[in-house]
Amino acid sequence: MKKKILITGGAGFIGSHVIRLFVNKYPNYEIINLDALTYAGNLENLCDVDSKPNYSFIKGDITDLEFVTNLFNKYKFDGVLHLAAESHVDRSISDPLAFINTNILGTVNLLNAAKEVWKDEMSDKKFYHISTDEVYGSLGITGKFTETTSYDPRSPYSASKASSDHLVRAYFHTYKLPVVISNCSNNYGANQFPEKLIPLVINNIKHSKTLPIYGKGDNIRDWLFVEDHALAIDKIYHEGKVGETYNIGGNNEWTNIDLVKKLCDIMDKKLDQAIGTSQKLISFVKDRAGHDMRYAIDASKIEKELGWKPSIKFEEGFEQTIDWYLENTEWSDHILSGDYEKYYEKQYKNR
Ligand code: NAD
Ligand code: DAU
């Protein structure tokens, strides 16, 4: 019997890389991608794997309890990798409820359905919840988040993810549901929706639009190549210990302004224009409300216990990423019309 694996949010940025890895690496798994195709979900992300015999897509909303329950009863999944979420901090500031619904209620629906369908035999099952380093809050200049750092979420997004993490752990302790959690730092790579810093800046440079830097640009993020995240997810799903949490990070901290300047210089070279041209587009704008100063991950546990560490050097991954956005203009053009334009106008109008 083929193992049936449910991956939620597989049409999104990270989910699509996880689907690609699993579909290609595990021909003996039946991979089912459940995604509501919100503004962030895009089946074009999966056009290279969607005709493989071990892959299928189901459009559905994890906030719909009846739908989720029926789905679990029908497929009796052996494992769940849960990535579906509302994921953009700025959107959580203007519309927190969408985050509460999907990230908290949606996660509980999946937990309940798994608990019910696995009640007679849980030993060979796994519910893997993919989460973020933002649950730990904001760091000063020193220190790193470890798996035992206390939770201190400060945005509606991170509070909703923290809440879902707590619920996943509660189902482990209370109902013995075989869960595992990972908390990862900022990802970059192909197929990221251009509301996030790196693709937004690449796209704005292409169109000679200003590059909005929140506050002074001195906030720090720890960047990891998305394909390395997918490899870590593979390790944790297969080898992670039930009940455990693993931090995943790139050991690659950048202030936003330094990162954007580096991006500008690489883009100038690629677009064959004088170095300094793109940097002139930088514009310091009103800060994000409650903007976390610094994130940094201590990923020594996953390295020691599961043997994972980032495999791609930042320079290489960054260059590869920029090339992808420059080459895949059709992908960007499809996203950058309609709703995205309205979002952009609203988000950046008064900054
Ligand atoms: P994304 O926004 O690109 O994709 C989210 C996907 O979930 C989309 O395909 C969307 O259609 C789907 N979705 C949203 N609501 C849904 C619902 N109610 N029912 C079914 N599907 C729904 O997000 P991402 O950046 O790929 O992040 C994936 C996961 O990884 C999230 O849980 C996020 O919190 C976590 N994470 C992201 C990062 C990062 O840097 N992007 C870092 C660490 C952790
Ligand atoms: O740390 C993991 C998290 O990383 C994930 O959980 C989130 O889903 C993901 O969106 C990301 O959150 P950030 O808020 O760090 O990512 P974002 O790309 O939105 O912003 C990165 C930094 O750049 C942050 O300090 C805010 C800043 N920024 C962002 C935008 C969109 C700007 O200065 N200008 C911008 O226009």
Side-chain angles (χ1 to χ4, degrees), residues 12-14 35-36 38 41 61-62 83 87 102 131 157 161 184 187:
F13 167 47
I14 301 170
D35 198 297
T38 68
D61 191 328
I62 59 167
L83 294 102
S87 69
T102 288
S131 192
Y157 164 67
K161 290 296 290 187
C184 187
N187 285 215

Side-chain angles (χ1 to χ4, degrees), residues 20-153:
R20 180 170 301 105
L21 177 68
F22 272 58
V23 166
N24 288 326
K25 187 168 173 187
Y26 301 108
N28 288 329
Y29 288 177
E30 197 181 324
I31 307 289
I32 294 111
N33 173 14
L34 167 63
D35 198 297
L37 298 184
T38 68
Y39 78 93
N42 182 356
L43 290 177
E44 282 182 54
N45 295 348
L46 293 162
C47 51
D48 56 327
V49 290
D50 63 8
S51 58
K52 301 256 172 161
N54 60 336
Y55 169 78
S56 56
F57 170 70
I58 295 173
K59 185 169 188 281
D61 191 328
I62 59 167
T63 66
D64 181 343
L65 176 60
E66 197 185 334
F67 164 76
V68 170
T69 309
N70 289 340
L71 188 78
F72 273 72
N73 282 330
K74 179 173 174 197
Y75 285 90
K76 310 225 178 314
F77 302 111
D78 297 286
V80 177
L81 284 83
H82 174 36
L83 294 102
E86 288 292 338
S87 69
H88 191 39
V89 174
D90 292 326
R91 287 186 192 250
S92 83
I93 295 168
S94 47
D95 180 16
L97 200 54
F99 288 69
I100 308 305
N101 281 333
T102 288
N103 299 358
I104 306 178
L105 295 178
T107 301
V108 174
N109 285 343
L110 294 167
L111 288 167
N112 278 333
K115 171 167 87 68
E116 201 40 43
V117 84
W118 293 346
K119 62 179 182 290
D120 295 329
E121 182 53 74
M122 289 197 182
S123 62
D124 54 348
K125 307 290 192 288
K126 203 175 246 179
F127 188 108
Y128 178 7
H129 177 62
I130 283 84
S131 192
T132 171
D133 60 357
E134 301 199 9
V135 298
Y136 297 122
S138 181
L139 290 166
I141 288 306
T142 57
K144 290 190 174 198
F145 300 132
T146 71
E147 287 79 0
T148 56
T149 301
S150 301
Y151 275 30
D152 183 22

Side-chain angles (χ1 to χ4, degrees), residues 225-261:
F225 191 49
V226 64
E227 291 176 26
D228 270 328
H229 189 188
L231 291 169
I233 288 173
D234 180 20
K235 273 267 177 204
I236 292 169
Y237 179 70
H238 289 98
E239 297 169 36
K241 222 171 121 199
V242 163
E244 290 289 317
T245 293
Y246 298 89
N247 279 356
I248 309 169
N251 201 15
N252 177 38
E253 293 182 49
W254 287 82
T255 61
N256 293 336
I257 187 65
D258 285 348
L259 185 83
V260 170
K261 282 183 175 166

Side-chain angles (χ1 to χ4, degrees), residues 204-322:
N204 283 14
I205 292 175
K206 261 170 63 183
H207 295 94
S208 301
K209 283 171 74 172
T210 57
L211 312 178
I213 307 289
Y214 297 163
K216 295 188 191 129
D218 52 0
N219 304 70
I220 294 172
R221 297 291 181 266
D222 171 3
W223 293 95
L224 175 70
F225 191 49
V226 64
E227 291 176 26
D228 270 328
H229 189 188
L231 291 169
I233 288 173
D234 180 20
K235 273 267 177 204
I236 292 169
Y237 179 70
H238 289 98
E239 297 169 36
K241 222 171 121 199
V242 163
E244 290 289 317
T245 293
Y246 298 89
N247 279 356
I248 309 169
N251 201 15
N252 177 38
E253 293 182 49
W254 287 82
T255 61
N256 293 336
I257 187 65
D258 285 348
L259 185 83
V260 170
K261 282 183 175 166
K262 186 174 174 70
L263 197 43
C264 285
D265 293 350
I266 299 176
M267 287 289 284
D268 283 344
K269 276 194 213 138
K270 305 241 175 225
L271 297 174
D272 220 4
Q273 54 194 24
I275 298 288
T277 309
S278 297
Q279 284 203 26
K280 288 199 192 109
L281 296 170
I282 290 175
S283 161
F284 292 93
V285 300
K286 190 170 155 217
D287 208 355
R288 173 184 278 174
H291 196 173
D292 289 340
M293 182 44 92
R294 174 172 168 256
Y295 306 140
I297 280 281
D298 174 347
S300 53
K301 176 175 170 178
I302 185 173
E303 182 172 351
K304 263 190 231 121
E305 295 186 12
L306 305 183
W308 175 91
K309 59 179 180 181
S311 65
I312 303 273
K313 287 212 170 64
F314 182 61
E315 280 63 29
E316 197 186 328
F318 206 44
E319 185 107 4
Q320 208 173 301
T321 300
I322 295 167

